[in-house]
Amino acid sequence: MNQATKMKKAVLTTTVATGIVFAAPTIADAALGDQTLRQGMSHSDVTQLQDELKSKGFFTYEKSTGYYGTITTDAVRKFQKANGLSADGIAGPKTIGALKGGSSSQKATTSSPSTSTNVSYSGILRVGSSGNQVKQLQSQLRSAGFLNKEPNGQFDNATKDAVTSFQRSKNLQVDGIAGPQTFAALNNTGGSKAPAPSNQTTKNTNSSPSATSSILRVGSRGAAVTELQSQLRSVGVFNQNPTGYYGNDTRDAVRKFQSANGLTADGIAGPKTFAKLGQGSTYKPNTEVKSETVSNNNNSGATVTNIVAEASKHIGVPYKWGGGTPSGFDCSGFIQYVFKQQGISVPRTAASQYSAGKSVSSLQVGDVVFFETYKAGPSHNGIYIGNNQFIHSGSSSGVTITSLDNSYWKPRYIGAKRF
């Protein structure tokens, strides 16, 4: 590190420690570039790297975490490919130099409209992109039945939702960003329409078209959100007056409803969540357990719901060997912490948790799933949340949701236990 950089860091540290406010270099100038960053690292430099990647459209996670996991590695690779660098996923001097030097963002280049059935795209289209290529994308999405508006060449939230729905229908990575795989799938759609929602039943009389034809998440606003909140309130998971804004309280309510109905508890209201709401599915809040005479089934059901909701709150927390708090978890520390919040005591290690739990032949939400990884016997675990998915603290991902069909985890699965 050169003397100038050392002095910049000293100024920044003094400013924070003393509370004196004066002009100082940005954190990115003061630190990013001092070291090579790679997967598995936790550092403030990683936060700055993620901020730089996010500003250019490559890091799409909801917040910068300071942990260099698979999402950051993939973002670095995409940036490297876009800028003609070796795509190794490691942020070394060349990569960081290109980032700080203002190299290519994931913006679309404009071109003249194509009149052919297959549209030729270049670059990446995402929220904020504009031009003829966005208009062509919107036209294809509309013809396939995923966008209900006139193409205007502006990649707005409605376009993002349409891209997200299309990606989900084609089993692509669902990120709302239109890249090569999404373009290829659109060109191969051949004019086929989006599948009709399976939730259009006579029971769904309270759902508005806007609420069931889009995906709602934190930051969404409008009548569709108001309708969603009203439905969540009617089943007992949202205890406020509808506001029309999808904030953290709405997300938590959606998670509770999802976990109670065997859906992936991601806090995002999509077609499956709307379908369950439309079928009149219910949720029994924990406040209904009024005494110890209530049946064990009701009690355990409320506990399982709260376990999944608690686990979901920590998505994004970095992995920390021996960690057992929200500042960092290892796999068994995460299990122990989540269960402890519901008054359930479990042993500390994956092996001892495996020995203590009751073996099950059929998975249920709230069961703990176990895997054999670096040594014989159970050495990793997570909480089953339904839809063949589990939430766990992975060494390369931190707390995240993963499919049991994942090519790495599926062959290492050894069973489940129930507490």
Side-chain angles (χ1 to χ4, degrees):
M1 185 187 302
N2 59 42
Q3 188 65 28
T5 301
K6 289 181 178 178
M7 290 180 66
K8 288 177 181 178
K9 283 191 171 181
V11 168
L12 183 62
T13 301
T14 303
T15 301
V16 173
T18 63
I20 299 172
V21 180
F22 54 89
T26 64
I27 292 176
D29 288 339
L32 186 59
D34 291 347
Q35 61 177 321
T36 294
L37 306 175
R38 64 186 71 233
Q39 189 165 315
M41 295 179 68
S42 293
H43 196 277
S44 59
D45 287 7
V46 177
T47 303
Q48 297 160 30
L49 171 68
Q50 291 166 335
D51 288 342
E52 290 283 352
L53 289 166
K54 182 182 282 290
S55 71
K56 291 177 167 54
F58 293 90
F59 184 73
T60 57
Y61 192 66
E62 60 183 14
K63 63 180 180 180
S64 297
T65 64
Y67 176 72
Y68 203 123
T70 55
I71 295 175
T72 305
T73 299
D74 290 343
V76 170
R77 284 193 181 123
K78 289 177 182 177
F79 175 80
Q80 290 168 328
K81 288 180 181 178
N83 288 278
L85 302 173
S86 176
D88 56 9
I90 299 172
K94 290 185 178 180
T95 299
I96 294 174
L99 267 172
K100 296 171 73 173
S103 294
S104 299
S105 301
Q106 290 205 53
K107 297 287 185 180
T109 57
T110 57
S111 63
S112 59
S114 171
T115 56
S116 62
T117 302
N118 284 355
V119 178
S120 177
Y121 294 95
S122 63
I124 304 288
L125 303 179
R126 64 190 304 276
V127 171
S129 299
S130 60
N132 287 330
Q133 289 200 84
V134 175
K135 195 169 185 178
Q136 293 165 358
L137 170 68
Q138 292 170 324
S139 295
Q140 286 190 290
L141 288 169
R142 189 180 185 196
S143 67
F146 292 90
L147 184 67
N148 298 318
K149 59 177 287 185
E150 288 289 337
N152 60 8
Q154 299 295 322
F155 200 122
D156 51 17
N157 287 331
T159 306
K160 178 182 177 181
D161 289 342
V163 171
T164 298
S165 298
F166 176 77
Q167 290 169 328
R168 184 173 286 108
S169 75
K170 297 297 182 182
N171 295 318
L172 302 174
Q173 180 181 348
V174 180
D175 56 10
I177 298 172
Q181 289 185 329
T182 301
F183 297 145
L186 271 170
N187 283 332
N188 290 330
T189 299
S192 61
K193 299 293 183 180
S198 60
N199 59 317
Q200 299 303 313
T201 65
T202 56
K203 293 182 180 180
N204 193 16
T205 57
N206 293 326
S207 297
S208 66
S210 60
T212 57
S213 63
S214 62
I215 293 178
L216 304 178
R217 65 186 74 219
V218 170
S220 298
R221 297 175 182 270
V225 177
T226 301
E227 178 62 31
L228 170 65
Q229 291 169 330
S230 296
Q231 289 184 290
L232 291 169
R233 187 176 183 182
S234 71
V235 297
V237 294
F238 189 71
N239 299 317
Q240 305 176 30
N241 290 322
T243 63
Y245 175 70
Y246 202 120
N248 291 337
D249 290 343
T250 306
R251 177 200 62 195
D252 292 343
V254 170
R255 280 178 177 162
K256 286 183 179 180
F257 178 80
Q258 290 168 327
S259 62
N261 287 279
L263 303 174
T264 300
D266 56 9
I268 298 172
K272 290 183 179 180
T273 300
F274 287 125
K276 280 290 184 183
L277 279 168
Q279 291 165 8
S281 301
T282 58
Y283 164 79
K284 302 293 184 182
N286 202 31
T287 53
E288 292 184 5
V289 182
K290 298 179 180 178
S291 72
E292 294 183 2
T293 60
V294 178
S295 72
N296 186 58
N297 285 339
N298 287 341
N299 206 346
S300 62
T303 301
V304 166
T305 297
N306 291 334
I307 284 173
V308 175
E310 175 67 33
S312 300
K313 283 167 53 178
H314 303 290
I315 292 175
V317 170
Y319 179 88
K320 180 180 180 182
W321 178 262
T325 70
S327 63
F329 292 110
D330 63 14
C331 62
S332 56
F334 176 62
I335 300 295
Q336 186 184 55
Y337 178 87
V338 169
F339 276 79
K340 184 179 180 181
Q341 305 314 301
Q342 303 307 317
I344 301 173
S345 178
V346 300
R348 178 61 180 83
T349 67
S352 58
Q353 289 171 1
Y354 186 82
S355 298
K358 177 184 177 181
S359 296
V360 295
S361 57
S362 178
L363 276 174
Q364 292 183 13
V365 174
D367 289 344
V368 179
V369 290
F370 290 84
F371 306 87
E372 185 177 86
T373 55
Y374 66 94
K375 63 179 182 179
S379 54
H380 187 78
N381 55 5
I383 300 171
Y384 184 66
I385 61 173
N387 199 29
N388 209 37
Q389 294 184 310
F390 65 102
I391 184 169
H392 65 125
S393 183
S395 60
S396 62
S397 63
V399 178
T400 189
I401 294 175
T402 304
S403 172
L404 283 170
D405 289 328
N406 177 281
S407 60
Y408 177 82
W409 295 110
K410 185 175 182 178
R412 292 168 172 80
Y413 176 69
I414 60 174
K417 298 284 183 160
R418 189 168 298 156
F419 293 98

